[in-house]
Amino acid sequence: MTETNAFSKFAEMMLHKDSEFIPKILKSIVTDEQADLLVSLPGTASQMAEKMNRDETAVDADLKRMFRMGLTFKKEKDGDTIWRAPAHLIQFHDATLVWPEATDKFINLWQQYMEKEWPHLAPQLTQFIPRPFTRVLPVNKSIDAGKAQVLAPDNVKELIKSADRIAVTKCTCRLTMKKCDAPVEVCLQINRGADYTLDRGSGRELTKDEALEVIEKAQ
C-alpha cells in the first residue's frame, strides 16, 4: 500500500475520506510502514507480520507503540492478543489526545480539525451513528426530566464509590480548544476504562477520595 493510500484510507475508515487534517494528524506521529500496518488491522502480531511480510518482533513493537499513542486497541482471546484500529473518529480523537508524548504540534493539528472540519462532519455522522458518543452527567444539579432520561446510576458520586478502579486523564476538549482556564486533568475513568488508561500510561490512578475531590474542583 502506498503512503498516500494508507493515510487516505485511514481518513475514510474514520468516515471522513475528504479530510485534509486526518491524514496530517496520523502522518505526524507514525511512519509510512506503521500507517500501512494500522489500516491493515485487525489481527495478531503474528498474523499481521505474515500479511505485511515483516518481522514479527518489529510488528509487535509497532503495535505496542501505537497502543500507547491511542491508535491501536487490543483484546485477549484464547491466549492471543488481537489488535484493531480505532472504531471511529471520536475514539481516534479521544485516545490519541491523551497520549503522554503528544506534542503541541500534534494537539494544534487536532484543534484545527475540530474548528475547521468537525462542524461540517458532525451532523452527517448522526445518520450512521445515532447513539451519542458521550453523555453529560450533572453533578449535584437538577435537569429537565422532560428532555432526558434520568437513570439512578448516573449519580456521579455513587458511580465513583462503587468503582473497583479509578483513573483520571486530561479533558481532550479543554486540551485542544483552550477556551477556558478550568482544570484540564478532570476526565475520570472507572473499571475497564481505568484499566485501559493505566495500561497505556495515559492517566494516573486515583483513590475514591481523590476522585471525589476532582469532581468537586470540576464543578
Side-chain angles (χ1 to χ4, degrees), residues 104-172:
D104 289 341
K105 178 183 176 181
F106 175 74
I107 294 172
N108 288 338
L109 281 172
W110 266 120
Q111 181 182 22
Q112 292 178 65
Y113 172 83
M114 296 305 291
E115 290 182 339
K116 297 178 181 180
E117 294 188 347
W118 171 248
H120 303 289
L121 178 67
Q124 301 175 39
L125 280 184
T126 59
Q127 300 176 31
F128 301 98
I129 312 172
R131 182 177 178 181
F133 291 112
T134 59
R135 289 182 296 167
V136 176
L137 304 182
V139 179
N140 293 336
K141 294 181 181 180
S142 62
I143 63 173
D144 184 350
K147 297 182 180 179
Q149 182 181 7
V150 182
L151 303 177
D154 280 353
N155 182 300
V156 180
K157 291 185 178 180
E158 289 305 316
L159 287 174
I160 294 301
K161 291 175 182 178
S162 64
D164 295 320
R165 200 176 196 190
I166 307 166
V168 64
T169 67
K170 294 179 180 179
C171 169
T172 57

Side-chain angles (χ1 to χ4, degrees):
M1 185 176 295
T2 66
E3 172 192 329
T4 301
N5 283 343
F7 292 96
S8 298
K9 182 176 180 181
F10 183 76
E12 186 172 357
M13 289 166 59
M14 298 298 99
L15 299 179
H16 204 164
K17 65 179 182 179
D18 299 322
S19 171
E20 173 190 350
F21 288 99
I22 291 177
K24 287 182 179 179
I25 291 168
L26 183 61
K27 189 172 179 59
S28 71
I29 58 174
V30 300
T31 65
D32 300 344
E33 198 171 42
Q34 290 167 342
D36 284 337
L37 175 60
L38 179 64
V39 299
S40 298
L41 293 171
T44 65
S46 176
Q47 291 169 340
M48 299 311 299
E50 182 176 359
K51 184 176 182 178
M52 308 298 294
N53 193 27
R54 291 183 56 194
D55 175 72
E56 183 177 342
T57 301
V59 168
D60 185 64
D62 278 348
L63 290 168
K64 289 176 179 176
R65 179 172 183 267
M66 289 193 286
F67 174 73
R68 181 169 173 83
M69 289 178 168
L71 286 172
T72 59
F73 298 81
K74 60 183 180 178
K75 178 181 180 180
E76 304 298 328
K77 185 177 181 180
D78 300 327
D80 291 324
T81 302
I82 302 172
W83 299 88
R84 66 168 178 83
H88 45 66
L89 181 64
I90 302 301
Q91 192 171 59
F92 172 46
H93 172 274
D94 288 358
T96 58
L97 273 168
V98 292
W99 168 38
E101 288 75 44
T103 63
D104 289 341
K105 178 183 176 181
F106 175 74
I107 294 172
N108 288 338
L109 281 172
W110 266 120
Q111 181 182 22
Q112 292 178 65
Y113 172 83
M114 296 305 291
E115 290 182 339
K116 297 178 181 180
E117 294 188 347
W118 171 248
H120 303 289
L121 178 67
Q124 301 175 39
L125 280 184
T126 59
Q127 300 176 31
F128 301 98
I129 312 172
R131 182 177 178 181
F133 291 112
T134 59
R135 289 182 296 167
V136 176
L137 304 182
V139 179
N140 293 336
K141 294 181 181 180
S142 62
I143 63 173
D144 184 350
K147 297 182 180 179
Q149 182 181 7
V150 182
L151 303 177
D154 280 353
N155 182 300
V156 180
K157 291 185 178 180
E158 289 305 316
L159 287 174
I160 294 301
K161 291 175 182 178
S162 64
D164 295 320
R165 200 176 196 190
I166 307 166
V168 64
T169 67
K170 294 179 180 179
C171 169
T172 57
C173 295
R174 293 177 181 177
L175 188 65
T176 53
M177 303 313 291
K178 303 172 185 177
K179 301 293 185 181
C180 67
D181 296 324
V184 175
E185 194 187 41
V186 293
C187 286
L188 297 176
Q189 314 289 323
I190 63 173
N191 301 332
R192 289 178 62 186
D195 290 340
Y196 166 71
T197 292
L198 297 171
D199 191 15
R200 275 187 63 198
S202 57
R204 61 188 178 89
E205 190 162 11
L206 298 182
T207 64
K208 293 180 180 181
D209 286 341
E210 288 172 333
L212 292 172
E213 288 180 11
V214 170
I215 292 172
E216 293 296 334
K217 291 178 181 179
Q219 294 184 60

